[in-house]
Amino acid sequence: MTAATGAPTVKCLVWDLDDTLWNGVVLEGDDPAPFPVALETLAELDRRGILHAAAGRGEHSVTRRHLAERRLADWFCAVQVGWGAKSAAVRRIAKALNIGLDTIAFVDNDPVERAEVESELPMVRCYPAAEVGQLPQFRDFRPERITAEATGRRRLYQAEWRRREAEEEFAEGRQAFLDSLGLVMELRPATEEDLSRASELTVRTHQLNSTGVTYGVDELRRLSVSPDHQVRLATLRDRFGDYGIIGLSVTELVGRDSVLRLMLMSCRVASRGAGSVLLHHLVRQALADGRRPVAHFTLTEVNRNLLVTMRFAGYEATATDGDRLVLAVDPERPLPKAPGHTRVIVGAARPAQEARLP
């Protein structure tokens, strides 16, 4: 099948295993090798940033062992193996990966299994195993852009899975868990190689977005070389691995003000307090440069929490500009205490300098 007009690009392909990914049935004592065409599709979709998950029949431990022995386990961000409905397995995978069901595709050699998924989850696109080799050619599997961030997406999701397991097992409280992560945020000017990902962030990020302004690649390119603007990207890592590029700020230097025109943070790091870390740093950097920190904010149905975060960073409403609030930090007032669980590294044209937030 193909997607309906306007359907989003597939973010995750869920594979049946026996007689779809490999040639045979593991639980019947076979030692099946993967189909060569399946390996090609795994690699090509992974290169495009499309995740892989598995929903198979059988015993979980047996299937896991076979995936490991055939060196296939590393391709998959989630594995559901058992005897229940495949649609239920697909639902669990979507929840575990925190993606919409309308961004999932399912491939299975059994028409009955495909029909069950199509019936229960009509938004999931289903394909027969015979089309595995053709999937990369379909429009559903062709992202508009393939960024460096996309090619490493599988590692990001696998690291996040390990974090969730560790958090569930941690018994000393939330703040202690954050302290144990060894979080490091790096802030650096956007480069030409970053522009596609930065533009993508402005389009896709809504909850932790201060104005909702979207920037195309050409506009970001212009701003990034303007002496009156600063376009910064934030990346994050911890002891489990990288989160990738998770934040963006666009600042305009107007007289003695440092005006934050846009600040956004990926929702997947909201629980790490990353938005607060970035805001506190921007405030302190503006003050260190002898400028008053100012920010524009457009209230929406989903970004109210970010306004609260900005107030905790010291911003207070001073005026309105059309449908926007104008916020500012009073340089004469003591600054709120910044989060202490994240180390900030400031990257620039000169060698990186480190600063731990007080």
Side-chain angles (χ1 to χ4, degrees), residues 131-275:
E131 295 184 358
V132 161
Q134 303 171 46
L135 296 183
Q137 303 171 29
F138 296 162
R139 182 187 62 191
D140 302 357
F141 297 87
R142 290 186 169 274
E144 184 177 347
R145 301 186 189 94
I146 300 176
T147 63
E149 180 89 355
T151 60
R153 188 162 290 150
R154 167 168 50 103
R155 299 296 183 191
L156 299 179
Y157 274 83
Q158 289 170 336
E160 183 59 26
W161 183 267
R162 294 193 295 273
R163 289 185 193 101
R164 290 183 181 181
E165 291 182 327
E167 188 168 9
E168 289 175 359
E169 296 171 358
F170 202 86
E172 298 179 31
R174 174 169 174 71
Q175 186 58 52
F177 176 71
L178 289 177
D179 292 340
S180 75
L181 288 174
L183 287 158
V184 178
M185 179 182 289
E186 181 178 2
L187 302 177
R188 56 181 172 78
T191 66
E192 180 68 27
E193 295 177 351
D194 300 320
L195 296 181
S196 290
R197 171 57 176 163
S199 177
E200 180 185 42
L201 277 172
T202 71
V203 174
R204 295 179 58 183
T205 305
H206 303 290
Q207 292 185 22
L208 298 180
N209 186 319
S210 62
T211 59
V213 175
T214 60
Y215 290 99
V217 171
D218 291 341
E219 178 69 1
L220 285 171
R221 181 180 294 113
R222 182 185 69 81
L223 294 176
S224 66
V225 298
S226 166
D228 298 323
H229 291 82
Q230 297 171 337
V231 181
R232 298 184 183 95
L233 288 175
T235 63
L236 193 67
R237 66 178 185 270
D238 63 17
R239 61 187 173 92
F240 293 99
D242 286 339
Y243 294 79
I245 296 174
I246 46 83
L248 171 71
S249 67
V250 178
T251 302
E252 183 179 4
L253 306 179
V254 182
R256 301 308 301 169
D257 289 345
S258 178
V259 183
L260 188 60
R261 299 292 187 183
L262 173 69
M263 178 272 181
L264 59 83
M265 187 64 59
S266 173
C267 297
R268 60 192 171 90
V269 295
S271 64
R272 304 294 180 253

Side-chain angles (χ1 to χ4, degrees), residues 206-212 263 297-310:
H206 303 290
Q207 292 185 22
L208 298 180
N209 186 319
S210 62
T211 59
M263 178 272 181
F297 190 91
T298 301
L299 189 63
T300 70
E301 294 181 357
V302 296
N303 71 350
R304 190 175 299 274
N305 284 343
L306 180 57
L307 181 58
V308 175
T309 302
M310 296 184 76

Side-chain angles (χ1 to χ4, degrees), residues 29 38 51 71 82 85 109 169 267 291 322:
L51 307 174
R71 297 184 179 180
N109 69 300
E169 296 171 358
C267 297
R291 297 181 181 274

